[in-house]
Each structure stands twice: as C-alpha cells, then as structure tokens.
Amino acid sequence: MTLPTLTTARLRLRQLVEADREAVVKVFSDPEMSRFFAADFSDPAAASAMVDRRLAYRGPAGQGHWVIERDGEVIGVAHLRPSSELPGGVAELGYYVASAYAGQGLATEAAQAVLDHGLHALGLPAVWALVHENNAASRRVAARLGFLDVGSGIHYGDLHRVLVSLAPVAGRPHHVELWVPDLAEAERSWGWLLGELGWTEFQRWPAGVSWRLGGTYVVVEASPAMSAPEHERTRPGLNHLALHVGTRAQVDDLAERAADHGWRPLFADRYPYAGGEAHYAAYLENEAGFEVELVALEGPQAAD
Ligand SMILES: CC(C)(COP(=O)(O)OP(=O)(O)OC[C@H]1O[C@@H](n2cnc3c(N)ncnc32)[C@H](O)[C@@H]1OP(=O)(O)O)[C@@H](O)C(=O)NCCC(=O)NCCS
C-alpha cells in the first residue's frame, strides 16, 4: 500500500520504509521525546519495535505512517490511522519531531499537511487526536491546527485530551433537488431508501418533501414548472446519485430489499462490480427513471 508524499514549504512527508529504521530510532533517542508516553523509546530496542508496528500497518488506503524530512534528513514521524483507542476506528493523527528541531513550527507544518490530506484528499468526515493532558507543546500544535477539545479520558494508559478536527462545510453539497413527475411514487422509493440510510424527513409541502442527513438534504418536488413528464438519465443533466452505504453485506441487503420499494436493479449481470473491480456498488433505478448507486466502504471496513 503506497502513501502519497506530502510537500510543505519546509518539509517532505513520505511513506515510512524499512530503510528509515535507524533514522527513526535516532529521532526518539532523546528521553524527552517519550516524556508523555507509556513506553520509553529512547531505548533503541523499544523504538525499533515501534518502527516494526508502524511498518506492519494494513489499514485503509491513504492512511498510514510517514517520515518527516527536512533537507533530506528524517527529523520526525507522523501518522494517520484508525484509532486503537477511540470507538469505530476513527482516523487518529499523530506527530513527532526530534528535540533538535523543536520550536520552529515544524510539527505544526507537518501535522497540517497530514490533516489536510485526511480531510480533503481522503474526504474523511473528521480527524481525531489524543494528546496527553500535560503535553503543552502538542496541545498548542493541535490548537493551532484548529482542533476542538471535546473532553478527556484515559487513553494510552493516562489522562489525554480528546481533540477533533471536522471537515469544513464550505464547498460541500448543501442540498440536491430532484424534480419528479409523481410525488407519491417518488416518496415511496426515495423516502424508503434515504430512511434506510439514516436520513430523516426535514420539510414537507403540497408539492414536495425533503430528507436530511447531517448538513445536507435531498428534495423531491413535483414542481408545476416541470417541462417534461419523465426523467431520462441518459440525457444531459443528472445521471445518478451515489450514496455511501457501509459494508458490502449491507449493500447486498439494501439492494435486495429495494425491489419491494420501487427500485429495480441496473447492470445486474455485472453486480457488484459494474463500476470497476475495486468498486463494490449496487445500481438501481426507480419507476420514474432515477438512478441511484449504493457504494460500500473501501478497505478492511468493507467487510463485516
Ligand atoms: C510536541 C511536538 C510534536 C512539538 O513539535 P514542534 O516542532 O516543537 O512544534 P511546533 O514548533 O510546531 O509548535 C509547538 C508549540 O508549542 C509551544 N510550546 C512548546 N513547548 C511548550 C511548553 N512547554 N509549554 C507551552 N507551549 C509550548 C511552542 O511555543 C509552539 O507554539 P507557538 O508556535 O504558538 O509558539 C514535539 O515536541 C514532539 O515530538 N514531542 C514528543 C512527541 C509528542 O509528544 N508528540 C505528540 C503526540 S500527541
């Protein structure tokens, strides 16, 4: 699994590889580096075992472990990986910069690059960080990155602040509006499907209804201004709406039950890989000709 290289004004973050072992052990050689950790990584054997654990990463694509390089020299490590401490395997950020380079804003710069990668390139809804209660420098880094402090708890064996950075709202879909020829029919298919995926009814008026999930809502409306009696997905305009579902089994289950709620399968002969080998999805069409794509999560989370 390859991680993208992230470049900042002063740093280069590239995937950690076996050849970095010695340099990483050196980064951790100052006992101060481990001051807030349960283990003392100034012990080369402990640091080397930590490198082993990082090299063994097999989590979701795009997440993992980077070395932080300054002018070609490894000065630290950063990671973004499913949390072993927080529920649901949410993405957790970590950063470590050698004492000799401290106080120059380098951890902030490196962590910002990893955070942007997680929220923007990977599209994660949130990135979490756990910082020891007394680790003032790290708490300062997180604050400068805009992390929200949402409480504290015992993590990694001691009291840690629980911090989160949420994906920015700007640029995300506010709502999608579908004009439909038959509102009751649309409500039966869209209302059922969106309800199954956790959307709840938001607005209702004689010609329309909407359902909301988080900050986004979907409207179906039988507008009197509609200029054609049917939707044709192969004409210019909306071809389909694609929605995240969950595991592959959940996609299978939803696609099967959708048949009782006004949806029929599309590209059934190529199910579940009609969208490509690495893309597990169900394609459905309702009575009015609207297509929806139900997409499974990627990576290990896709399996039950
Ligand atoms: C924490 C760590 C990453 C900071 O690295 P860094 O490159 O010095 O960080 P930056 O220079 O980007 O920012 C550090 C900030 O903390 C402040 N700071 C440093 N020591 C501090 C202290 N003892 N008390 C209060 N603030 C402190 C700095 O002034 C700076 O804030 P500012 O830019 O607003 O002035 C680094 O010390 C480290 O690797 N420590 C060991 C590993 C670790 O604890 N990692 C974090 C795990 S959650």
Side-chain angles (χ1 to χ4, degrees):
M1 218 178 298
T2 340
L3 274 184
T5 295
L6 311 174
T7 313
T8 70
R10 295 176 289 175
L11 303 169
R12 186 165 167 260
L13 282 76
R14 60 159 180 81
Q15 182 163 13
L16 170 77
V17 292
E18 173 62 43
D20 296 316
R21 184 181 297 276
E22 204 179 312
V24 174
V25 170
K26 189 172 160 224
V27 162
F28 284 90
S29 57
D30 178 354
E32 262 304 293
M33 289 291 287
S34 303
R35 192 167 141 207
F36 300 105
F37 305 143
D40 178 7
F41 298 117
S42 67
D43 167 10
S48 195
M50 180 249 279
V51 172
D52 284 337
R53 287 194 295 277
R54 290 173 186 268
L55 288 172
Y57 173 82
R58 295 291 176 269
Q63 298 187 45
H65 300 265
W66 287 264
V67 286
I68 305 170
E69 281 183 345
R70 173 123 206 240
D71 302 327
E73 185 188 347
V74 172
I75 64 157
V77 180
H79 64 247
L80 183 68
R81 45 133 180 88
S83 181
S84 55
E85 292 282 319
L86 298 170
V90 292
E92 187 182 323
L93 170 71
Y95 38 82
Y96 314 79
V97 166
S99 320
Y101 292 87
Q104 301 173 40
L106 294 173
T108 306
E109 195 171 312
Q112 180 78 65
V114 178
L115 179 64
D116 288 348
H117 169 71
L119 295 180
H120 301 294
L122 300 182
L124 296 171
V127 167
W128 296 77
L130 295 170
V131 177
H132 191 283
E133 181 77 20
N134 301 329
N135 192 344
S138 182
R139 286 179 68 173
R140 183 81 195 116
V141 170
R144 287 187 67 184
L145 296 178
F147 271 84
L148 300 171
D149 186 325
V150 291
S152 63
I154 301 299
H155 294 289
Y156 302 115
D158 207 349
L159 191 61
H160 276 64
R161 304 308 308 173
V162 179
L163 305 151
V164 65
S165 176
L166 300 174
V169 169
R172 299 191 144 227
H174 182 270
H175 71 270
V176 176
E177 183 159 325
L178 305 173
W179 282 12
V180 297
D182 182 330
L183 182 61
E185 188 185 276
E187 219 183 311
R188 274 197 301 278
S189 54
W190 283 112
W192 172 79
L193 181 62
L194 295 174
E196 287 289 314
L197 292 171
W199 298 66
T200 51
E201 188 173 316
F202 175 42
Q203 302 149 313
R204 178 174 288 277
W205 64 104
V209 54
S210 74
W211 297 273
R212 181 158 72 171
L213 183 69
T216 306
Y217 59 95
V218 169
V219 179
V220 295
E221 183 179 7
S223 168
M226 203 152 30
S227 62
E230 81 287 330
H231 171 67
E232 175 48 74
R233 66 185 169 82
T234 58
R235 287 200 194 130
L238 179 84
N239 176 262
H240 66 277
L241 203 60
L243 301 166
H244 291 284
V245 174
T247 64
R248 293 174 172 193
Q250 283 169 326
V251 170
D252 295 343
D253 173 58
L254 199 57
E256 195 180 320
R257 289 188 294 117
D260 296 331
H261 299 275
W263 296 98
R264 68 173 192 87
L266 287 172
F267 324 121
D269 56 327
R270 284 181 284 143
Y271 183 79
Y273 297 112
E277 266 177 28
H279 186 74
Y280 197 105
Y283 297 81
L284 309 171
E285 183 182 36
N286 71 5
E287 285 127 321
F290 286 95
E291 178 186 335
V292 73
E293 178 180 344
L294 305 175
V295 187
L297 294 169
E298 288 174 17
Q301 305 161 86
D304 289 308

